[in-house]
Amino acid sequence: MQRSTKKIKPEVDYRQFRFKKMNTSEFSHVKLLLFWPFFGLMFMFLERFQPERHYYVVHCALDDLIPFWEWALIPYLLWFVFLIGALIYTFFFDTRAFRRMMHFVIVTYGITLLIYIVFPTCQELRPEHFDEPNILTDFITGFYSFDTNTNVCPSLHVIGSFAAMFALWDCKRFQNVAWKIVFGIIAVCISLSTVFMKQHSAVDVIAALPVCALGWWLGYGKKEASAQTSAVEK
């Protein structure tokens, strides 16, 4: 990875933002942020206000072969930094990548919400006790008590990881192959951490992949094809 000496400057001067400018070409991408509170409210409703729903237990033979590993907590928590970091970076420094990331997120998270509504799932993989308690298992115990084991398939952790990876791959500043490898490794490690921390079944991870593929096609691939077609016609 080559270090750039060029100073990074925001693409948009948000100090000039006013609500009346929301529909202008300069600030129209800001409206995409409205998806996040909508998603948060919908997810909270499904998690907290529908406890009596019938949930389908997700499990496969591979889950029994994957051991619990408390160190998976580290890449699991890295998800929050990875996703939010990609969102913030693109919002300020690469609005084209931000738009495409949000299109991916809206498609994939929207599909996932619909699946959770139509086909509610849960997992019963969490260990009931830890043989060797330590600071990591103590944190995981608290995390288990806060985060429910419902609405798990497909895994939003996996989808969010790929959202961040695709967005950073799309950024003009990170076109170096080394950066792409780093972001790819981070996304894979986060996705694998979900099964080692017993937050998800392997089925949840696999189910997230076609959702990501569809999101990539609509958010990136289809737009690239349209752009190439327009360039040829010109």
Side-chain angles (χ1 to χ4, degrees):
M1 291 177 286
Q2 298 179 349
R3 181 177 295 178
S4 175
T5 57
K6 186 178 180 180
K7 186 176 180 180
I8 305 176
K9 295 182 179 179
E11 283 192 347
V12 177
D13 185 0
Y14 289 104
R15 292 173 299 180
Q16 305 301 318
F17 174 75
R18 303 292 185 275
F19 284 107
K20 64 182 180 181
K21 295 183 178 182
M22 188 78 81
N23 292 320
T24 64
S25 58
E26 185 179 14
F27 295 111
S28 60
H29 63 282
V30 176
K31 292 186 292 185
L32 295 171
L33 290 173
L34 295 175
F35 174 77
W36 289 110
F38 166 77
F39 170 79
L41 290 172
M42 287 295 298
F43 188 74
M44 183 175 65
F45 174 76
L46 291 174
E47 286 280 281
R48 305 296 177 184
F49 299 104
Q50 291 193 312
E52 302 303 323
R53 301 180 74 195
H54 172 71
Y55 293 96
Y56 298 89
V57 178
V58 181
H59 179 268
C60 69
L62 181 58
D63 296 327
D64 299 327
L65 300 177
I66 299 174
F68 169 80
W69 188 42
E70 63 264 32
W71 286 98
L73 173 68
I74 296 175
Y76 188 87
L77 294 180
L78 179 61
W79 179 81
F80 298 95
V81 177
F82 194 41
L83 179 60
I84 296 173
L87 191 69
I88 292 174
Y89 180 86
T90 55
F91 182 76
F92 284 102
F93 303 110
D94 199 321
T95 55
R96 174 180 175 272
F98 172 80
R99 290 178 185 274
R100 285 150 66 98
M101 177 185 183
M102 285 305 304
H103 292 158
F104 176 92
V105 167
I106 290 170
V107 169
T108 55
Y109 276 48
I111 290 173
T112 302
L113 274 179
L114 184 60
I115 293 173
Y116 289 169
I117 293 170
V118 176
F119 188 70
T121 52
C122 71
Q123 56 91 352
E124 298 177 346
L125 301 170
R126 295 174 174 180
E128 296 181 358
H129 61 87
F130 300 106
D131 295 332
E132 298 180 4
N134 53 55
I135 189 171
L136 294 175
T137 58
D138 289 344
F139 189 96
I140 291 172
T141 299
F143 196 83
Y144 282 171
S145 64
F146 168 77
D147 189 24
T148 71
N149 65 333
T150 58
N151 300 314
V152 293
C153 186
S155 168
L156 279 173
H157 229 71
V158 173
I159 294 172
S161 298
F162 277 82
M165 181 187 75
F166 289 142
L168 294 171
W169 279 3
D170 197 37
C171 288
K172 295 184 288 289
R173 187 175 178 81
F174 300 121
Q175 290 305 301
N176 187 296
V177 174
W179 277 118
K180 293 181 181 294
I181 292 174
V182 168
F183 296 138
I185 291 174
I186 292 174
V188 170
C189 288
I190 291 173
S191 298
L192 291 177
S193 74
T194 64
V195 295
F196 283 96
M197 215 179 88
K198 297 303 178 180
Q199 281 289 87
H200 283 283
S201 162
V203 176
D204 305 334
V205 175
I206 295 170
L209 300 182
V211 178
C212 289
L214 177 60
W216 181 88
W217 182 70
L218 293 174
Y220 296 93
K222 190 176 180 181
K223 290 179 173 57
E224 289 290 351
S226 298
Q228 291 175 5
T229 301
S230 299
V232 170
E233 290 176 350
K234 291 180 180 179

